[in-house]
Amino acid sequence: MWKSIGELNSEDYVKAGLSLEEAKGFQKVVTDVISRTKGDDPRDQWKALVDECVLKPWHPHPLHQLLYYSIYSNWDASIHGPPLYWFPSLSLSKSTNLGRLMETHGPRLLGASYKNPLESFELFRRFSVEHPEVYWSIVIDELSLKFHTPPRCILDKSKPEGTWLPDAVLNTAECCLIPSSRSQREDDSLAVVWREEGFDDSPVNQMTFKELRQRVMLVANAISGSFATGDTIAIDMTMTVDAVIIYLAIIFAGCVVVSIADSFAAKEIATRLKISKAKGIFTQDHVLRGGRRYPLYSRVVEAAPSKIIVLPASGTELRVQASVDQFGFSKLGEPKAIPWTQLSPIRSACDGWAHFDVKVGNTYCWPTNLGWVMGPTLIFSCFLTGTTLALYHGSPLGHGFGKFDVGVTILGTVPSLVKTWKRTNCMEGLNWTKIKYFATTGEASNVDDVLWLSSKAYYKPVIEVCGGTELASSYIIGSPLQPQAFGAFSTPTMATRIIIFDENGVPYPEDQPCTGEVGLFPQHLGATDRLLNADHEEVYFKGMPMYKETRLRRHGDILKRTVGGYFTVQGRADDTMNLGGIKTSSIEIERVCDQADECISETAAVSITPPNGGPELLAIFTVLKEGFKKQSEEELKKKFSRAIQKDLNPLFKVSFVKIVAEFQRTASNKLLRRVLRDQMNQEIRSLRSRI
């Protein structure tokens, strides 16, 4: 239980890591700042501390925890919504992409209702939902797009999902490379900066847009000599500058690119090559990461493609060995082959433009992979807006990545990566204060982890992102025009309408706090309208409820809308469990268990159906922090049960606890609860067979 901010004394600050002399001075500063705030609203108190930079990035994390949790110690989220930690300023809001657009078009589109980008954000977002063709016509005009044949309209509404930019002809790779007066991108503008792992004290490598265009066209010409227009070509490489060039070159040459994660085994590579009917594949001999070499070419050879173009992991010479699709995951284990069209990159770039403020002058880094949606999204978000792409050729888990001193202003992450940085303290002593925005996606964020991350840049916002390959981007997100709460989404993406409905398919009122499955309106620019190896209608629409004569599109998330209109993801619809007749989600339980003991690094909750039937049983898998006293599974079982019964539901009981070294994850870093569930079921069956 945290003390209130007024109860803290110098001894508390000493326990948080300050010397006694520092603690006395710090206490005086905190008291002075708090005393100048009007009233006793914790949000005003926290904002005042952040505005005056009382907490420094180099202060020990326990000190940041102490102030944040003490200020909000008596906060009732059920009445006030989630506690806020970042508040946009009116002056800076007008310089953002979306704020500038609103200042220009808001008075005309909204009339006298328009005030300014902060007060009118939600009004303008709703306008974008009701008049998507108007919104997209304005935003698309902001991108570096060159149409060979312009669209006859923005949206043809002759079918439920609509047809976007009908009859338009363009090549998005070409659009990524040409100079653009609209985005103020010139030939000598920086396109890519990168550094090799192990050369962290060497100068940063740089490539201008002119140099990037020349390299892409060179590779595209080589591709045209070996493949025909329309051929499908795969790429299975780490996210290096060469991989980016090859990815764009395949599109530039008029071929279809298939992204495959470099972590996949030969069987998984072969499956993707077969589904996509790839005529060839680009790869590299090894993956270099963390000072080690991992074979990649041998796995690709085992997958038996007809033609392989292989690069050395270090160097740029292409060697040919004789001989846009993306992949998600289905329940049955076979990947969903999700084809992207030219609309998909446009959607990716527009959402980055609106929600991350990507533009000329910014440098955008997100350690990712071309086999995950964030890889292509990062490429198009940068190059269609003129933002500089920052790459690190190696592992993002160590000090070398954080020292990547290229002036990164937007840094994307995944929660497990942040957790590792925080646990290992590997970013100690680095200066991240140039960062304007953080971003995170892949799974639910731990509040304390994003508190740590945000504190490294004087509490810049951590934009939460949730979407998927089939949407080409996100459907809920944060915005630099709204206050932000740790681990929460502040808004649906622009021009996106969502409906939350109960287990009977009945929609909740759109302004009411609630928890249920989310449905999307089908007119979503960039969303798929077909799958290569499954029935698109069955996967995304069958069994979904109607809303005002419109069949909603399935996404599969359980979403909680809080007081104040924020959102948290409660897990997947198929991760919902029934404990004692009460439905709950894995993520809801994990959030409580993560705080049950200081030795806990992370947890995963799954429900187990007993072999002979009966109520579902709760099993908790846990990874422990290094350096803490190891506890038995029975001790943790008691602590988890107490925490869940106190903070979630007194009727819930933990039946099994399993300590593991790490969690198995997908290539996009999503936790494989299904694998854990199968593992626990197997152990139960084995135990019963010995009785």
Side-chain angles (χ1 to χ4, degrees):
M1 184 68 181
W2 296 91
K3 293 181 178 180
S4 68
I5 189 67
E7 296 173 329
L8 296 181
N9 54 43
S10 57
E11 183 180 343
D12 295 310
Y13 295 125
V14 170
K15 290 179 180 178
L18 299 182
S19 68
L20 180 57
E21 184 178 351
E22 290 171 330
K24 290 179 179 178
F26 189 82
Q27 182 182 12
K28 184 179 185 306
V29 171
V30 170
T31 301
D32 289 346
V33 172
I34 294 295
S35 66
R36 293 198 300 270
T37 60
K38 297 178 180 179
D40 57 359
D41 190 325
R43 292 168 294 195
D44 294 334
Q45 295 175 345
W46 177 256
K47 184 177 184 300
L49 291 173
V50 171
D51 286 348
E52 298 199 27
C53 299
V54 173
L55 285 164
K56 314 295 185 185
W58 53 86
H59 276 148
H61 182 57
L63 185 64
H64 291 271
Q65 291 176 306
L66 180 64
L67 257 65
Y68 174 76
Y69 292 117
S70 294
I71 282 178
Y72 284 110
S73 60
N74 296 314
W75 185 260
D76 190 339
S78 65
I79 297 175
H80 305 295
L84 304 176
Y85 72 95
W86 183 80
F87 305 84
S89 71
L90 180 58
S91 58
L92 290 179
S93 73
K94 294 181 179 180
S95 66
T96 63
N97 290 329
L98 192 58
R100 175 174 51 80
L101 181 145
M102 290 175 63
E103 286 287 89
T104 302
H105 300 280
R108 173 175 61 87
L109 299 176
L110 303 179
S113 299
Y114 181 77
K115 305 300 181 187
N116 59 62
L118 300 186
E119 293 182 75
S120 303
F121 171 79
E122 180 57 23
L123 187 63
F124 186 73
R125 194 197 68 77
R126 289 182 181 274
F127 176 88
S128 75
V129 171
E130 295 166 0
H131 306 281
E133 62 279 12
V134 176
Y135 172 78
W136 287 119
S137 67
I138 296 172
V139 176
I140 288 173
D141 193 47
E142 295 284 337
L143 301 185
S144 307
L145 296 182
K146 176 186 176 182
F147 288 97
H148 292 277
T149 302
R152 57 178 167 83
C153 62
I154 296 296
L155 174 62
D156 181 342
K157 298 181 180 180
S158 59
K159 55 183 182 179
E161 65 275 19
T163 301
W164 295 95
L165 307 185
D167 302 334
V169 177
L170 80 163
N171 185 305
T172 46
E174 177 188 16
C175 296
C176 287
L177 303 170
I178 56 176
S180 170
S181 58
R182 183 68 182 177
S183 64
Q184 300 178 338
R185 184 182 70 200
E186 306 295 339
D187 267 352
D188 59 356
S189 299
L190 270 184
V192 189
V193 292
W194 75 96
R195 179 179 277 151
E196 305 284 343
E197 184 178 20
F199 295 86
D200 301 324
D201 295 320
S202 301
V204 173
N205 301 288
Q206 299 181 345
M207 183 179 293
T208 65
F209 272 96
K210 181 179 180 180
E211 292 168 333
L212 177 64
R213 181 171 66 248
Q214 291 172 339
R215 294 284 299 278
V216 169
M217 292 179 68
L218 183 65
V219 177
N221 286 336
I223 289 172
S224 297
S226 300
F227 298 91
T229 299
D231 279 353
T232 301
I233 306 172
I235 180 170
D236 190 351
M237 298 177 65
T238 55
M239 190 80 168
T240 63
V241 66
D242 287 328
V244 171
I245 289 168
I246 292 167
Y247 184 90
L248 290 173
I250 293 172
I251 300 172
F252 193 90
C255 296
V256 178
V257 61
V258 179
S259 302
I260 301 177
D262 62 71
S263 60
F264 283 137
K267 181 180 178 182
E268 295 297 321
I269 298 171
T271 298
R272 286 155 176 77
L273 294 175
K274 180 181 178 181
I275 293 173
S276 63
K277 300 178 182 179
K279 299 292 182 65
I281 184 171
F282 282 85
T283 190
Q284 60 195 67
D285 53 2
H286 291 87
V287 173
L288 303 180
R289 186 167 291 146
R292 301 181 63 183
R293 296 166 66 90
Y294 301 91
L296 179 56
Y297 173 61
S298 58
R299 282 184 273 137
V300 172
V301 170
E302 189 178 343
S306 57
K307 183 179 290 186
I308 305 175
I309 303 94
V310 58
L311 282 75
S314 58
T316 57
E317 180 186 356
L318 295 178
R319 302 196 302 273
V320 179
Q321 306 295 322
S323 124
V324 166
D325 284 343
Q326 298 283 326
F327 285 86
F329 291 89
S330 67
K331 291 181 182 179
L332 300 178
E334 183 182 76
K336 288 184 295 187
I338 301 171
W340 272 23
T341 68
Q342 304 280 2
L343 291 171
S344 307
I346 294 173
R347 177 64 189 236
S348 293
C350 286
D351 280 355
W353 181 92
H355 293 278
F356 297 138
D357 205 36
V358 291
K359 56 189 173 187
V360 170
N362 281 341
T363 301
Y364 192 1
C365 178
W366 199 316
T368 184
N369 190 281
L370 286 170
W372 184 34
V373 63
M374 279 313 308
T377 293
L378 180 64
I379 290 175
F380 295 117
S381 292
C382 286
F383 297 153
L384 289 179
T385 62
T387 303
T388 301
L389 169 64
L391 300 171
Y392 186 73
H393 294 184
S395 170
L397 296 177
H399 190 81
F401 172 82
K403 185 178 176 294
F404 189 24
D405 47 352
V406 294
V408 170
T409 54
I410 306 169
L411 177 61
T413 66
V414 292
S416 59
L417 183 58
V418 176
K419 190 179 292 291
T420 298
W421 292 341
K422 176 187 166 195
R423 185 184 73 244
T424 61
N425 204 30
C426 63
M427 301 305 175
E428 185 70 20
L430 297 176
N431 186 348
W432 285 8
T433 56
K434 290 183 180 179
I435 293 174
K436 298 177 181 177
Y437 305 104
F438 293 100
T440 182
T441 191
E443 57 185 326
S445 292
N446 176 282
V447 169
D448 196 61
D449 290 344
V450 284
L451 167 68
W452 175 89
L453 180 65
S454 180
S455 73
K456 295 303 176 186
Y458 284 108
Y459 287 97
K460 295 303 193 301
V462 182
I463 304 296
E464 298 278 343
V465 184
C466 185
T469 308
E470 70 277 9
L471 299 179
S473 188
S474 51
Y475 73 95
I476 51 172
I477 201 167
S479 171
L481 301 182
Q482 293 177 295
Q484 296 299 307
F486 288 128
F489 308 84
S490 62
T491 181
T493 48
M494 297 300 294
T496 299
R497 188 177 187 185
I498 65 173
I499 296 296
I500 301 175
F501 54 89
D502 65 20
E503 57 188 21
N504 297 314
V506 178
Y508 291 103
E510 294 189 61
D511 58 352
Q512 175 183 315
C514 59
T515 300
E517 187 172 347
V518 65
L520 310 181
F521 268 61
Q523 287 183 356
H524 187 99
L525 176 68
T528 57
D529 60 3
R530 65 190 180 97
L531 295 171
L532 298 185
N533 61 339
D535 186 322
H536 188 274
E537 179 72 19
E538 182 173 343
V539 170
Y540 293 114
F541 291 96
K542 185 177 180 180
M544 288 294 287
M546 300 288 291
Y547 184 83
K548 295 183 177 179
E549 301 182 349
T550 298
R551 178 74 63 187
L552 296 176
R553 180 185 175 111
R554 177 179 291 107
H555 190 72
D557 286 341
I558 300 296
L559 211 60
K560 178 180 180 179
R561 181 165 52 225
T562 72
V563 172
Y566 289 79
F567 301 91
T568 58
V569 176
Q570 302 292 292
R572 300 290 293 171
D574 49 10
D575 278 335
T576 299
M577 56 185 77
N578 187 323
L579 301 177
I582 300 172
K583 288 192 175 182
T584 188
S585 71
S586 297
I587 288 179
E588 195 170 16
I589 291 174
E590 289 159 7
R591 282 177 174 149
V592 173
C593 289
D594 283 348
Q595 305 298 319
D597 192 274
E598 61 180 357
C599 75
I600 302 300
S601 175
E602 57 182 327
T603 59
V606 298
S607 62
I608 307 297
T609 301
N612 295 327
E616 295 179 22
L617 305 177
L618 176 59
I620 307 293
F621 288 78
T622 182
V623 176
L624 303 181
K625 295 177 182 176
E626 297 177 4
F628 282 82
K629 178 184 176 182
K630 303 301 181 184
Q631 301 195 36
S632 70
E633 292 176 346
E634 191 60 33
E635 288 175 322
L636 289 175
K637 178 179 172 182
K638 293 177 182 177
K639 291 183 177 182
F640 288 147
S641 291
R642 283 198 296 268
I644 291 171
Q645 290 166 3
K646 175 180 177 292
D647 297 329
L648 199 57
N649 194 304
L651 300 179
F652 291 172
K653 176 184 176 183
V654 178
S655 298
F656 305 98
V657 169
K658 181 75 173 177
I659 298 174
V660 296
E662 61 181 0
F663 292 144
Q664 187 173 345
R665 299 177 184 274
T666 67
S668 61
N669 219 55
K670 289 185 173 63
L671 185 62
L672 285 169
R673 294 186 183 85
R674 172 179 52 81
V675 172
L676 297 175
R677 187 181 295 112
D678 292 344
Q679 178 183 333
M680 182 58 71
N681 278 324
Q682 185 175 351
E683 289 191 18
I684 293 174
R685 287 194 296 269
S686 177
L687 180 63
R688 287 177 60 84
S689 67
R690 294 197 299 268
I691 297 177

